[in-house]
PDB file of all heavy atoms in Angstrom:
ATOM      1  N   SER S 230     -55.524 -60.149  41.588  1.00 95.00           N
ATOM      2  CA  SER S 230     -54.278 -60.450  40.864  1.00 95.00           C
ATOM      3  C   SER S 230     -53.282 -59.371  41.074  1.00 95.00           C
ATOM      4  O   SER S 230     -53.598 -58.264  41.550  1.00 95.00           O
ATOM      5  CB  SER S 230     -54.616 -60.618  39.334  1.00 95.00           C
ATOM      6  OG  SER S 230     -55.231 -59.417  38.810  1.00 95.00           O
ATOM      7  N   TYR S 231     -52.031 -59.678  40.721  1.00 95.00           N
ATOM      8  CA  TYR S 231     -50.962 -58.642  40.887  1.00 95.00           C
ATOM      9  C   TYR S 231     -49.943 -58.741  39.798  1.00 95.00           C
ATOM     10  O   TYR S 231     -49.791 -59.778  39.150  1.00 95.00           O
ATOM     11  CB  TYR S 231     -50.273 -58.721  42.241  1.00 95.00           C
ATOM     12  CG  TYR S 231     -49.314 -59.830  42.399  1.00 95.00           C
ATOM     13  CD1 TYR S 231     -47.916 -59.666  42.117  1.00 95.00           C
ATOM     14  CD2 TYR S 231     -49.664 -61.150  42.675  1.00 95.00           C
ATOM     15  CE1 TYR S 231     -47.064 -60.681  42.207  1.00 95.00           C
ATOM     16  CE2 TYR S 231     -48.788 -62.206  42.713  1.00 95.00           C
ATOM     17  CZ  TYR S 231     -47.432 -61.943  42.471  1.00 95.00           C
ATOM     18  OH  TYR S 231     -46.505 -62.962  42.578  1.00 95.00           O
ATOM     19  N   SER S 232     -49.356 -57.586  39.466  1.00 96.00           N
ATOM     20  CA  SER S 232     -48.160 -57.543  38.590  1.00 96.00           C
ATOM     21  C   SER S 232     -47.123 -56.639  39.279  1.00 96.00           C
ATOM     22  O   SER S 232     -47.433 -56.113  40.235  1.00 96.00           O
ATOM     23  CB  SER S 232     -48.601 -56.974  37.195  1.00 96.00           C
ATOM     24  OG  SER S 232     -49.158 -55.649  37.384  1.00 96.00           O
ATOM     25  N   CYS S 233     -45.926 -56.696  38.714  1.00 96.00           N
ATOM     26  CA  CYS S 233     -44.849 -55.980  39.337  1.00 96.00           C
ATOM     27  C   CYS S 233     -44.247 -54.864  38.506  1.00 96.00           C
ATOM     28  O   CYS S 233     -44.347 -54.935  37.253  1.00 96.00           O
ATOM     29  CB  CYS S 233     -43.732 -56.977  39.723  1.00 96.00           C
ATOM     30  SG  CYS S 233     -44.196 -58.219  40.989  1.00 96.00           S
ATOM     31  N   GLU S 234     -43.606 -53.950  39.174  1.00 95.00           N
ATOM     32  CA  GLU S 234     -43.118 -52.713  38.534  1.00 95.00           C
ATOM     33  C   GLU S 234     -42.105 -53.075  37.420  1.00 95.00           C
ATOM     34  O   GLU S 234     -41.981 -52.397  36.449  1.00 95.00           O
ATOM     35  CB  GLU S 234     -42.465 -51.806  39.572  1.00 95.00           C
ATOM     36  CG  GLU S 234     -42.148 -50.480  39.046  1.00 95.00           C
ATOM     37  CD  GLU S 234     -41.674 -49.520  40.205  1.00 95.00           C
ATOM     38  OE1 GLU S 234     -41.361 -50.039  41.263  1.00 95.00           O
ATOM     39  OE2 GLU S 234     -41.582 -48.308  39.899  1.00 95.00           O
ATOM     40  N   ASP S 235     -41.329 -54.147  37.624  1.00 96.00           N
ATOM     41  CA  ASP S 235     -40.285 -54.511  36.694  1.00 96.00           C
ATOM     42  C   ASP S 235     -40.865 -55.385  35.490  1.00 96.00           C
ATOM     43  O   ASP S 235     -40.104 -55.954  34.728  1.00 96.00           O
ATOM     44  CB  ASP S 235     -39.152 -55.256  37.349  1.00 96.00           C
ATOM     45  CG  ASP S 235     -39.562 -56.580  37.989  1.00 96.00           C
ATOM     46  OD1 ASP S 235     -40.777 -56.956  37.929  1.00 96.00           O
ATOM     47  OD2 ASP S 235     -38.665 -57.315  38.468  1.00 96.00           O
ATOM     48  N   HIS S 236     -42.146 -55.501  35.376  1.00 96.00           N
ATOM     49  CA  HIS S 236     -42.845 -56.246  34.373  1.00 96.00           C
ATOM     50  C   HIS S 236     -42.501 -57.781  34.468  1.00 96.00           C
ATOM     51  O   HIS S 236     -42.507 -58.446  33.349  1.00 96.00           O
ATOM     52  CB  HIS S 236     -42.549 -55.659  32.950  1.00 96.00           C
ATOM     53  CG  HIS S 236     -43.186 -54.346  32.712  1.00 96.00           C
ATOM     54  ND1 HIS S 236     -43.145 -53.699  31.530  1.00 96.00           N
ATOM     55  CD2 HIS S 236     -43.848 -53.525  33.551  1.00 96.00           C
ATOM     56  CE1 HIS S 236     -43.797 -52.536  31.633  1.00 96.00           C
ATOM     57  NE2 HIS S 236     -44.162 -52.407  32.891  1.00 96.00           N
ATOM     58  N   SER S 237     -42.204 -58.212  35.600  1.00 96.00           N
ATOM     59  CA  SER S 237     -41.978 -59.627  35.803  1.00 96.00           C
ATOM     60  C   SER S 237     -42.722 -60.082  37.061  1.00 96.00           C
ATOM     61  O   SER S 237     -43.678 -59.330  37.445  1.00 96.00           O
ATOM     62  CB  SER S 237     -40.443 -59.950  35.963  1.00 96.00           C
ATOM     63  OG  SER S 237     -40.222 -61.400  36.117  1.00 96.00           O
ATOM     64  N   LEU S 238     -42.420 -61.218  37.627  1.00 98.00           N
ATOM     65  CA  LEU S 238     -42.976 -61.610  38.915  1.00 98.00           C
ATOM     66  C   LEU S 238     -41.897 -62.183  39.713  1.00 98.00           C
ATOM     67  O   LEU S 238     -40.845 -62.608  39.189  1.00 98.00           O
ATOM     68  CB  LEU S 238     -44.122 -62.754  38.610  1.00 98.00           C
ATOM     69  CG  LEU S 238     -45.351 -62.176  37.886  1.00 98.00           C
ATOM     70  CD1 LEU S 238     -46.258 -63.361  37.480  1.00 98.00           C
ATOM     71  CD2 LEU S 238     -46.190 -61.253  38.758  1.00 98.00           C
ATOM     72  N   PRO S 239     -42.069 -62.193  41.083  1.00 97.00           N
ATOM     73  CA  PRO S 239     -40.929 -62.602  41.925  1.00 97.00           C
ATOM     74  C   PRO S 239     -40.307 -63.996  41.560  1.00 97.00           C
ATOM     75  O   PRO S 239     -39.096 -64.168  41.838  1.00 97.00           O
ATOM     76  CB  PRO S 239     -41.514 -62.579  43.313  1.00 97.00           C
ATOM     77  CG  PRO S 239     -42.668 -61.678  43.211  1.00 97.00           C
ATOM     78  CD  PRO S 239     -43.231 -61.813  41.829  1.00 97.00           C
ATOM     79  N   PHE S 240     -41.073 -64.930  41.095  1.00 97.00           N
ATOM     80  CA  PHE S 240     -40.567 -66.272  40.819  1.00 97.00           C
ATOM     81  C   PHE S 240     -40.175 -66.476  39.385  1.00 97.00           C
ATOM     82  O   PHE S 240     -39.742 -67.579  39.026  1.00 97.00           O
ATOM     83  CB  PHE S 240     -41.650 -67.224  41.220  1.00 97.00           C
ATOM     84  CG  PHE S 240     -42.946 -67.073  40.515  1.00 97.00           C
ATOM     85  CD1 PHE S 240     -43.190 -67.612  39.296  1.00 97.00           C
ATOM     86  CD2 PHE S 240     -43.922 -66.248  41.124  1.00 97.00           C
ATOM     87  CE1 PHE S 240     -44.447 -67.346  38.606  1.00 97.00           C
ATOM     88  CE2 PHE S 240     -45.164 -66.040  40.474  1.00 97.00           C
ATOM     89  CZ  PHE S 240     -45.419 -66.601  39.205  1.00 97.00           C
ATOM     90  N   LEU S 241     -40.350 -65.479  38.545  1.00 98.00           N
ATOM     91  CA  LEU S 241     -40.112 -65.674  37.123  1.00 98.00           C
ATOM     92  C   LEU S 241     -38.668 -65.303  36.695  1.00 98.00           C
ATOM     93  O   LEU S 241     -38.078 -64.358  37.259  1.00 98.00           O
ATOM     94  CB  LEU S 241     -41.010 -64.793  36.221  1.00 98.00           C
ATOM     95  CG  LEU S 241     -42.460 -65.290  36.124  1.00 98.00           C
ATOM     96  CD1 LEU S 241     -43.208 -64.348  35.199  1.00 98.00           C
ATOM     97  CD2 LEU S 241     -42.506 -66.715  35.512  1.00 98.00           C
ATOM     98  N   HIS S 242     -38.134 -66.046  35.805  1.00 97.00           N
ATOM     99  CA  HIS S 242     -36.884 -65.633  35.053  1.00 97.00           C
ATOM    100  C   HIS S 242     -37.298 -65.157  33.666  1.00 97.00           C
ATOM    101  O   HIS S 242     -38.304 -65.639  33.105  1.00 97.00           O
ATOM    102  CB  HIS S 242     -35.891 -66.800  34.909  1.00 97.00           C
ATOM    103  CG  HIS S 242     -35.419 -67.310  36.336  1.00 97.00           C
ATOM    104  ND1 HIS S 242     -34.561 -66.601  37.069  1.00 97.00           N
ATOM    105  CD2 HIS S 242     -35.821 -68.446  37.019  1.00 97.00           C
ATOM    106  CE1 HIS S 242     -34.362 -67.287  38.215  1.00 97.00           C
ATOM    107  NE2 HIS S 242     -35.158 -68.365  38.194  1.00 97.00           N
ATOM    108  N   PRO S 243     -36.515 -64.398  32.971  1.00 97.00           N
ATOM    109  CA  PRO S 243     -36.844 -63.921  31.639  1.00 97.00           C
ATOM    110  C   PRO S 243     -37.110 -65.098  30.622  1.00 97.00           C
ATOM    111  O   PRO S 243     -37.980 -65.035  29.827  1.00 97.00           O
ATOM    112  CB  PRO S 243     -35.603 -63.148  31.217  1.00 97.00           C
ATOM    113  CG  PRO S 243     -35.030 -62.632  32.467  1.00 97.00           C
ATOM    114  CD  PRO S 243     -35.273 -63.683  33.483  1.00 97.00           C
ATOM    115  N   GLN S 244     -36.393 -66.174  30.853  1.00 97.00           N
ATOM    116  CA  GLN S 244     -36.556 -67.361  29.997  1.00 97.00           C
ATOM    117  C   GLN S 244     -37.955 -67.952  30.125  1.00 97.00           C
ATOM    118  O   GLN S 244     -38.560 -68.466  29.101  1.00 97.00           O
ATOM    119  CB  GLN S 244     -35.465 -68.419  30.323  1.00 97.00           C
ATOM    120  CG  GLN S 244     -35.587 -69.640  29.452  1.00 97.00           C
ATOM    121  CD  GLN S 244     -35.400 -69.407  28.015  1.00 97.00           C
ATOM    122  OE1 GLN S 244     -34.694 -68.434  27.586  1.00 97.00           O
ATOM    123  NE2 GLN S 244     -36.001 -70.214  27.152  1.00 97.00           N
ATOM    124  N   ASP S 245     -38.553 -67.885  31.275  1.00 98.00           N
ATOM    125  CA  ASP S 245     -39.917 -68.339  31.480  1.00 98.00           C
ATOM    126  C   ASP S 245     -40.934 -67.701  30.596  1.00 98.00           C
ATOM    127  O   ASP S 245     -41.769 -68.301  29.971  1.00 98.00           O
ATOM    128  CB  ASP S 245     -40.301 -68.304  32.977  1.00 98.00           C
ATOM    129  CG  ASP S 245     -39.431 -69.024  33.867  1.00 98.00           C
ATOM    130  OD1 ASP S 245     -38.910 -70.104  33.490  1.00 98.00           O
ATOM    131  OD2 ASP S 245     -39.197 -68.583  34.994  1.00 98.00           O
ATOM    132  N   VAL S 246     -40.791 -66.313  30.637  1.00 98.00           N
ATOM    133  CA  VAL S 246     -41.736 -65.587  29.745  1.00 98.00           C
ATOM    134  C   VAL S 246     -41.443 -65.808  28.293  1.00 98.00           C
ATOM    135  O   VAL S 246     -42.366 -65.914  27.461  1.00 98.00           O
ATOM    136  CB  VAL S 246     -41.551 -64.048  30.052  1.00 98.00           C
ATOM    137  CG1 VAL S 246     -42.492 -63.191  29.207  1.00 98.00           C
ATOM    138  CG2 VAL S 246     -41.870 -63.737  31.584  1.00 98.00           C
ATOM    139  N   THR S 247     -40.185 -65.960  27.914  1.00 98.00           N
ATOM    140  CA  THR S 247     -39.830 -66.259  26.528  1.00 98.00           C
ATOM    141  C   THR S 247     -40.480 -67.571  26.136  1.00 98.00           C
ATOM    142  O   THR S 247     -40.948 -67.758  25.007  1.00 98.00           O
ATOM    143  CB  THR S 247     -38.308 -66.274  26.409  1.00 98.00           C
ATOM    144  OG1 THR S 247     -37.776 -65.033  26.737  1.00 98.00           O
ATOM    145  CG2 THR S 247     -37.863 -66.608  25.001  1.00 98.00           C
ATOM    146  N   GLU S 248     -40.415 -68.591  27.002  1.00 97.00           N
ATOM    147  CA  GLU S 248     -40.967 -69.928  26.741  1.00 97.00           C
ATOM    148  C   GLU S 248     -42.456 -69.796  26.542  1.00 97.00           C
ATOM    149  O   GLU S 248     -43.057 -70.411  25.553  1.00 97.00           O
ATOM    150  CB  GLU S 248     -40.610 -70.916  27.809  1.00 97.00           C
ATOM    151  CG  GLU S 248     -39.201 -71.486  27.799  1.00 97.00           C
ATOM    152  CD  GLU S 248     -38.983 -72.561  28.792  1.00 97.00           C
ATOM    153  OE1 GLU S 248     -39.882 -73.429  28.946  1.00 97.00           O
ATOM    154  OE2 GLU S 248     -37.978 -72.574  29.488  1.00 97.00           O
ATOM    155  N   GLY S 249     -43.114 -69.117  27.391  1.00 98.00           N
ATOM    156  CA  GLY S 249     -44.560 -68.921  27.314  1.00 98.00           C
ATOM    157  C   GLY S 249     -44.970 -68.249  26.022  1.00 98.00           C
ATOM    158  O   GLY S 249     -45.925 -68.648  25.331  1.00 98.00           O
ATOM    159  N   LEU S 250     -44.222 -67.185  25.638  1.00 98.00           N
ATOM    160  CA  LEU S 250     -44.546 -66.434  24.421  1.00 98.00           C
ATOM    161  C   LEU S 250     -44.286 -67.348  23.150  1.00 98.00           C
ATOM    162  O   LEU S 250     -45.071 -67.345  22.258  1.00 98.00           O
ATOM    163  CB  LEU S 250     -43.651 -65.195  24.292  1.00 98.00           C
ATOM    164  CG  LEU S 250     -43.831 -64.317  23.044  1.00 98.00           C
ATOM    165  CD1 LEU S 250     -45.238 -63.915  22.896  1.00 98.00           C
ATOM    166  CD2 LEU S 250     -42.907 -63.129  23.073  1.00 98.00           C
ATOM    167  N   ALA S 251     -43.216 -68.126  23.201  1.00 98.00           N
ATOM    168  CA  ALA S 251     -42.886 -69.014  22.097  1.00 98.00           C
ATOM    169  C   ALA S 251     -44.017 -70.056  21.904  1.00 98.00           C
ATOM    170  O   ALA S 251     -44.421 -70.360  20.721  1.00 98.00           O
ATOM    171  CB  ALA S 251     -41.527 -69.674  22.332  1.00 98.00           C
ATOM    172  N   ILE S 252     -44.548 -70.616  23.013  1.00 98.00           N
ATOM    173  CA  ILE S 252     -45.650 -71.553  22.934  1.00 98.00           C
ATOM    174  C   ILE S 252     -46.875 -70.901  22.288  1.00 98.00           C
ATOM    175  O   ILE S 252     -47.495 -71.380  21.364  1.00 98.00           O
ATOM    176  CB  ILE S 252     -45.988 -72.100  24.322  1.00 98.00           C
ATOM    177  CG1 ILE S 252     -44.897 -72.987  24.851  1.00 98.00           C
ATOM    178  CG2 ILE S 252     -47.355 -72.810  24.297  1.00 98.00           C
ATOM    179  CD1 ILE S 252     -45.057 -73.440  26.291  1.00 98.00           C
ATOM    180  N   THR S 253     -47.187 -69.627  22.677  1.00 98.00           N
ATOM    181  CA  THR S 253     -48.332 -68.997  22.151  1.00 98.00           C
ATOM    182  C   THR S 253     -48.210 -68.627  20.696  1.00 98.00           C
ATOM    183  O   THR S 253     -49.076 -68.742  19.868  1.00 98.00           O
ATOM    184  CB  THR S 253     -48.600 -67.683  22.947  1.00 98.00           C
ATOM    185  OG1 THR S 253     -48.840 -68.038  24.294  1.00 98.00           O
ATOM    186  CG2 THR S 253     -49.883 -66.879  22.438  1.00 98.00           C
ATOM    187  N   GLN S 254     -46.911 -68.209  20.230  1.00 98.00           N
ATOM    188  CA  GLN S 254     -46.686 -68.019  18.878  1.00 98.00           C
ATOM    189  C   GLN S 254     -46.899 -69.285  18.042  1.00 98.00           C
ATOM    190  O   GLN S 254     -47.511 -69.225  16.964  1.00 98.00           O
ATOM    191  CB  GLN S 254     -45.232 -67.534  18.686  1.00 98.00           C
ATOM    192  CG  GLN S 254     -45.023 -66.068  19.105  1.00 98.00           C
ATOM    193  CD  GLN S 254     -43.564 -65.672  19.173  1.00 98.00           C
ATOM    194  OE1 GLN S 254     -42.696 -66.412  19.488  1.00 98.00           O
ATOM    195  NE2 GLN S 254     -43.312 -64.371  18.891  1.00 98.00           N
ATOM    196  N   LYS S 255     -46.414 -70.396  18.547  1.00 98.00           N
ATOM    197  CA  LYS S 255     -46.659 -71.722  17.845  1.00 98.00           C
ATOM    198  C   LYS S 255     -48.110 -72.082  17.772  1.00 98.00           C
ATOM    199  O   LYS S 255     -48.661 -72.610  16.814  1.00 98.00           O
ATOM    200  CB  LYS S 255     -45.848 -72.764  18.523  1.00 98.00           C
ATOM    201  CG  LYS S 255     -44.280 -72.708  18.298  1.00 98.00           C
ATOM    202  CD  LYS S 255     -43.569 -73.898  18.976  1.00 98.00           C
ATOM    203  CE  LYS S 255     -42.120 -73.910  18.603  1.00 98.00           C
ATOM    204  NZ  LYS S 255     -41.375 -72.736  19.285  1.00 98.00           N
ATOM    205  N   VAL S 256     -48.882 -71.767  18.827  1.00 98.00           N
ATOM    206  CA  VAL S 256     -50.294 -72.068  18.891  1.00 98.00           C
ATOM    207  C   VAL S 256     -51.029 -71.221  17.834  1.00 98.00           C
ATOM    208  O   VAL S 256     -51.989 -71.669  17.155  1.00 98.00           O
ATOM    209  CB  VAL S 256     -50.880 -71.916  20.311  1.00 98.00           C
ATOM    210  CG1 VAL S 256     -52.402 -71.874  20.275  1.00 98.00           C
ATOM    211  CG2 VAL S 256     -50.396 -72.946  21.141  1.00 98.00           C
ATOM    212  N   ALA S 257     -50.631 -69.900  17.752  1.00 98.00           N
ATOM    213  CA  ALA S 257     -51.286 -69.079  16.724  1.00 98.00           C
ATOM    214  C   ALA S 257     -51.031 -69.594  15.287  1.00 98.00           C
ATOM    215  O   ALA S 257     -51.918 -69.676  14.415  1.00 98.00           O
ATOM    216  CB  ALA S 257     -50.707 -67.664  16.780  1.00 98.00           C
ATOM    217  N   GLU S 258     -49.786 -70.068  15.021  1.00 98.00           N
ATOM    218  CA  GLU S 258     -49.523 -70.683  13.731  1.00 98.00           C
ATOM    219  C   GLU S 258     -50.276 -71.978  13.550  1.00 98.00           C
ATOM    220  O   GLU S 258     -50.836 -72.228  12.441  1.00 98.00           O
ATOM    221  CB  GLU S 258     -48.055 -71.016  13.658  1.00 98.00           C
ATOM    222  CG  GLU S 258     -47.088 -69.735  13.609  1.00 98.00           C
ATOM    223  CD  GLU S 258     -45.680 -70.079  13.919  1.00 98.00           C
ATOM    224  OE1 GLU S 258     -45.253 -71.241  13.989  1.00 98.00           O
ATOM    225  OE2 GLU S 258     -44.849 -69.142  14.108  1.00 98.00           O
ATOM    226  N   ALA S 259     -50.423 -72.767  14.587  1.00 98.00           N
ATOM    227  CA  ALA S 259     -51.127 -74.084  14.553  1.00 98.00           C
ATOM    228  C   ALA S 259     -52.621 -73.913  14.273  1.00 98.00           C
ATOM    229  O   ALA S 259     -53.201 -74.655  13.530  1.00 98.00           O
ATOM    230  CB  ALA S 259     -50.847 -74.888  15.744  1.00 98.00           C
ATOM    231  N   ILE S 260     -53.197 -72.940  14.918  1.00 98.00           N
ATOM    232  CA  ILE S 260     -54.612 -72.682  14.805  1.00 98.00           C
ATOM    233  C   ILE S 260     -54.955 -72.239  13.365  1.00 98.00           C
ATOM    234  O   ILE S 260     -56.030 -72.604  12.802  1.00 98.00           O
ATOM    235  CB  ILE S 260     -55.164 -71.817  15.885  1.00 98.00           C
ATOM    236  CG1 ILE S 260     -56.660 -72.049  16.161  1.00 98.00           C
ATOM    237  CG2 ILE S 260     -55.000 -70.326  15.555  1.00 98.00           C
ATOM    238  CD1 ILE S 260     -57.215 -71.441  17.408  1.00 98.00           C
ATOM    239  N   TYR S 261     -54.062 -71.522  12.719  1.00 98.00           N
ATOM    240  CA  TYR S 261     -54.265 -71.122  11.288  1.00 98.00           C
ATOM    241  C   TYR S 261     -54.130 -72.343  10.440  1.00 98.00           C
ATOM    242  O   TYR S 261     -54.948 -72.537   9.530  1.00 98.00           O
ATOM    243  CB  TYR S 261     -53.262 -70.048  10.932  1.00 98.00           C
ATOM    244  CG  TYR S 261     -53.337 -69.746   9.408  1.00 98.00           C
ATOM    245  CD1 TYR S 261     -54.361 -69.099   8.841  1.00 98.00           C
ATOM    246  CD2 TYR S 261     -52.294 -70.218   8.568  1.00 98.00           C
ATOM    247  CE1 TYR S 261     -54.486 -68.813   7.531  1.00 98.00           C
ATOM    248  CE2 TYR S 261     -52.377 -70.009   7.226  1.00 98.00           C
ATOM    249  CZ  TYR S 261     -53.440 -69.284   6.688  1.00 98.00           C
ATOM    250  OH  TYR S 261     -53.541 -69.059   5.300  1.00 98.00           O
ATOM    251  N   ARG S 262     -53.153 -73.224  10.671  1.00 98.00           N
ATOM    252  CA  ARG S 262     -52.944 -74.400   9.844  1.00 98.00           C
ATOM    253  C   ARG S 262     -54.076 -75.375  10.035  1.00 98.00           C
ATOM    254  O   ARG S 262     -54.521 -75.989   9.106  1.00 98.00           O
ATOM    255  CB  ARG S 262     -51.632 -75.115  10.252  1.00 98.00           C
ATOM    256  CG  ARG S 262     -50.356 -74.301   9.789  1.00 98.00           C
ATOM    257  CD  ARG S 262     -49.091 -74.852  10.433  1.00 98.00           C
ATOM    258  NE  ARG S 262     -48.823 -76.207  10.084  1.00 98.00           N
ATOM    259  CZ  ARG S 262     -47.830 -76.950  10.647  1.00 98.00           C
ATOM    260  NH1 ARG S 262     -47.059 -76.366  11.555  1.00 98.00           N
ATOM    261  NH2 ARG S 262     -47.648 -78.141  10.249  1.00 98.00           N
ATOM    262  N   GLU S 263     -54.692 -75.353  11.229  1.00 97.00           N
ATOM    263  CA  GLU S 263     -55.825 -76.247  11.470  1.00 97.00           C
ATOM    264  C   GLU S 263     -57.135 -75.779  10.896  1.00 97.00           C
ATOM    265  O   GLU S 263     -57.922 -76.658  10.442  1.00 97.00           O
ATOM    266  CB  GLU S 263     -55.905 -76.453  13.029  1.00 97.00           C
ATOM    267  CG  GLU S 263     -56.926 -77.421  13.483  1.00 97.00           C
ATOM    268  CD  GLU S 263     -56.511 -78.860  13.221  1.00 97.00           C
ATOM    269  OE1 GLU S 263     -55.348 -79.151  12.959  1.00 97.00           O
ATOM    270  OE2 GLU S 263     -57.383 -79.776  13.320  1.00 97.00           O
ATOM    271  N   THR S 264     -57.353 -74.476  10.897  1.00 97.00           N
ATOM    272  CA  THR S 264     -58.711 -73.995  10.500  1.00 97.00           C
ATOM    273  C   THR S 264     -58.655 -73.170   9.172  1.00 97.00           C
ATOM    274  O   THR S 264     -59.708 -72.964   8.586  1.00 97.00           O
ATOM    275  CB  THR S 264     -59.239 -73.073  11.651  1.00 97.00           C
ATOM    276  OG1 THR S 264     -58.438 -71.866  11.737  1.00 97.00           O
ATOM    277  CG2 THR S 264     -59.272 -73.780  12.951  1.00 97.00           C
TER     278      THR S 264
END
């Protein structure tokens, strides 16, 4: 695997990481509501 010095990846835009984090935040909330 690899990561980059700028804490991104060559094909990523900042919005992509924001979207991924937002999904994970919603999943954390959902798993609490579910269990």
